[in-house]
Amino acid sequence: MNWIFIEIKNIFSLLVQIFKTELFELGNQSFSIKNITEIISLIVLVVFFSRTIKKWLKEWILVNLGIKKGTKEAIAAIINYIITIAGILIVLHNTGIDLTSITVIAGALSIGIGIGMKNIISNFVSGLTILIAQPIKIGDFIEVDDLSGIVEKTSIRSTVIKTIDGIFVIIPNNFIVEKNIINWSHKDSTSRIHIPIGVAYGSNTALVKKALLDAAIKEKKVLSIPSPKVWFKGFGDSALNFELLVWIKYPHLIDEIRSYLNFSIDLELRSRNISIPFPQRDLHIRQINDLIQTHQKAESTTSGKNQKKLSNSLVKNIAKTKQNPSKLNLRDLLRQISYFQNCNNIELRDVIENGYRKIVPRGEIICLEGEPGDSFYIILSGSVEVFSAKANKYITTRYAGEFIGEMSLILGIARTASLRATEDTILFVVDRENLHNLLAKHQRLADKISEELSRRLETLKNLGLLDNQENSQETAMIWIRNRIYTLFGI
């Protein structure tokens, strides 16, 4: 056994000798694998220490000083680079490296390095410029060429932008410095939107102005100060040209706000019988009398047959529509529900944007007992059976206008029963995130759901969500409503 220990000792001695063997000299200092390992280890510690300081500055010191997010990121990044560079120089100096010799070597290689790393050095200098001068900061909404988005991160080499479509784009810093940048958030994020609109000749211009201003006032994201303005731009070929100008606080929502305003403008103009024209051309026919006589003769021979066919076709289409709710549009289906009957077109538009129509054939399972609740349903037509698959027990049947699937979604529990369509059924489906948006805008709908849930006292008690002494439906409704308000921030 002694020879084994001798061999191990010899191998260990050989390794130590290899580690201590001189590899090269730099200035007056010789270097071995051991020296290089020590230097790399110390540099890694310096980098770790500098990043820890950067994180500590961002999350504690600079936050308590009330510094803005973009400025905070820039200060922390600059301090991180200073500590890293200073730490590396100190490590090299303490290991005996003559920094002047490194300077000489670096000077000799600077020409070749400068040519080969031109883009990297350019991005590095541009990154320092962005961090110090701060033409853009973290959280700014910027536009570079055809690219627009929110600045997520700025480093020495590149800047990361998150577009309004949720795509992360990495842009070299020199590209940002060299291009013309629109920074919507610089100093003041208040921005103005221009919405052109044309109305038919003969329209009351004062009424048009009132309609456009009313549409702007109804949009909550439009600022009241500065107030919305309407400009009469001039007389077009087919329309009187106006422009609505509104101010907003959040430039990254420009497309969303513009869409809401377009819907509102359309509604306001329709309510005042103001038409939006389309390009028209006048056609002049010289021998108009001959054409009229020819048309009347042809019409007299076929009018009877065509009218009869048209009448029968209309009757069939109307009957078919009445018998088949799937042919109705979603807005008309929602209007058949008692809660939505008094909603105007804008409110219905908000509802439709947060859900979708789903046609469920007869006998199809909608969801199963024990599954996580991820959707809320409103029955638009048809009927749905509620049953317990585990207990093999029928519970109840829900019909058009009733809510289903809301209990597990709102109370945060698994599905307490299974749902199955007893006939061809149309559902309006809202998932968890969109339900949050819907209830935040429609508090009355939250109250309606609370009222519906409070009727199921026994179910709530069996789940342990209500005390057995709480027999009042009013008490249950208050408890459920408060829970919904808290959960959805209403």
Side-chain angles (χ1 to χ4, degrees), residues 444-480:
R444 289 179 299 160
L445 180 58
D447 294 338
K448 183 72 174 178
I449 295 173
S450 303
E451 181 182 346
E452 180 67 28
L453 266 176
S454 65
R455 295 173 185 164
R456 308 174 192 177
L457 288 174
E458 291 302 322
T459 304
L460 294 173
K461 289 176 182 177
N462 292 337
L463 291 171
L465 297 172
L466 286 180
D467 193 338
N468 289 327
Q469 297 178 352
E470 295 176 337
N471 295 318
S472 169
Q473 181 179 329
E474 184 179 355
T475 304
M477 180 176 174
I478 293 173
W479 179 85
I480 295 168

Side-chain angles (χ1 to χ4, degrees), residues 195-208:
I195 300 182
I197 182 72
V199 299
Y201 272 94
S203 301
N204 187 328
T205 55
L207 203 58
V208 173

Side-chain angles (χ1 to χ4, degrees), residues 333-341 378-380 400-402:
L333 286 169
L334 285 170
R335 282 205 184 278
Q336 295 179 5
I337 307 303
S338 59
Y339 169 75
F340 298 110
Q341 284 177 352
I378 301 174
I379 304 175
L380 299 178
E402 295 189 81

